[in-house]
Amino acid sequence: MINSVLNTAWIFLFDREQLVASFIFLFAIAISIYICGVLVCRSLSKAGAILENSGNAKDIWMTRLFTLNGLAFYGTWCTIATLLNLVIVLQYVGLVDAYVCAWVALGILTLELICWFILETFIFDHHLRYCFSPYIVLLVAFSGLLSKQYDPAAPATYIYYVFFLIALSAVLAVIKVLVMIIKGCKNPIQYNHVMIEPTLSKEQEANSIPL
């Protein structure tokens, strides 16, 4: 609900060329998606044992493959769009050189990519092992940037860096898939270690009191 309201507000603000305000709202949209992803991970961690013990492990996989990857897909697009909006603000409001703006956006995106790979692979593997959609978005986005901006006759300097980012994204994507398969076979994620306290009714509590 909040994300939809922010999205609608951003469309009107960007259409009216309120560049700074539209950037703030788009940034808030991306943050709201991140929060949704955290809440989904926490809920799955709490309910995973119940789903496993009740024979509904397929719901765990549906959440991993569709819900988390869907949020990550949308969140990655919004992150890239936020950086594009930042470039517009810097160039047309801050009057910063266009090439400097491009390098700023690409530098931030590179840092986010590396941090994301480290976090999902080594720190939050239990939650994000099967979350692979961000790499799809990055490869498509970088390829689209090349198709629009690459001029073989006079390529801009940052275009070569985009080639590097495509290669980096592809390598990290391959590593992600390999880690996902190897860890999935050798060390599958289990939720049964979570202890669930049974809830007793008042009648059961009364009957359990020793006489």
Side-chain angles (χ1 to χ4, degrees):
M1 177 64 181
I2 296 176
N3 182 272
S4 299
V5 172
L6 291 172
N7 213 325
T8 303
W10 173 79
I11 292 174
F12 281 101
L13 289 170
F14 193 78
D15 180 69
R16 299 299 187 273
E17 297 184 356
Q18 301 295 318
L19 301 180
V20 176
S22 65
F23 166 72
I24 294 173
F25 271 76
L26 191 51
F27 181 77
I29 290 171
I31 294 298
S32 68
I33 299 171
Y34 303 156
I35 294 173
C36 287
V38 172
L39 294 177
V40 170
C41 289
R42 290 186 61 185
S43 298
L44 182 59
S45 182
K46 292 179 179 179
I50 298 175
L51 293 172
E52 284 183 346
N53 294 329
S54 61
N56 292 309
K58 62 180 183 298
D59 291 336
I60 297 176
W61 283 103
M62 295 289 283
T63 302
R64 290 171 178 167
L65 296 178
F66 293 101
T67 304
L68 279 177
N69 275 291
L71 286 171
F73 193 95
Y74 182 32
T76 307
W77 273 120
C78 286
T79 300
I80 296 174
T82 302
L83 291 175
L84 291 175
N85 216 149
L86 175 62
V87 168
I88 294 173
V89 170
L90 291 176
Q91 184 174 353
Y92 294 102
V93 178
L95 302 179
V96 180
D97 182 74
Y99 287 102
V100 174
C101 295
W103 278 111
V104 168
L106 291 174
I108 295 174
L109 191 56
T110 303
L111 180 62
E112 291 178 337
L113 172 58
I114 295 173
C115 290
W116 170 260
F117 179 78
I118 294 173
L119 289 174
E120 71 166 358
T121 306
F122 302 105
I123 300 177
F124 299 116
D125 172 69
H126 185 78
H127 300 290
L128 301 174
R129 179 179 297 177
Y130 300 99
C131 187
F132 52 83
S133 60
Y135 300 100
I136 299 174
V137 176
L138 289 170
L139 290 171
V140 172
F142 290 141
S143 299
L145 177 61
L146 283 179
S147 67
K148 293 293 183 181
Q149 301 295 330
Y150 181 60
D151 182 7
T157 307
Y158 71 87
I159 291 297
Y160 294 108
Y161 188 72
V162 175
F163 278 110
F164 164 74
L165 288 179
I166 290 178
L168 177 62
S169 300
V171 170
L172 293 182
V174 171
I175 295 175
K176 170 66 178 180
V177 173
L178 292 176
V179 169
M180 185 171 63
I181 294 174
I182 294 173
K183 284 190 174 182
C185 295
K186 293 187 175 181
N187 185 28
I189 298 173
Q190 299 291 336
Y191 299 96
N192 285 321
H193 66 280
V194 180
M195 298 301 295
I196 304 173
E197 294 291 338
T199 303
L200 299 178
S201 64
K202 292 184 178 179
E203 182 179 349
Q204 289 175 320
E205 289 178 353
N207 292 334
S208 63
I209 299 176
L211 299 177

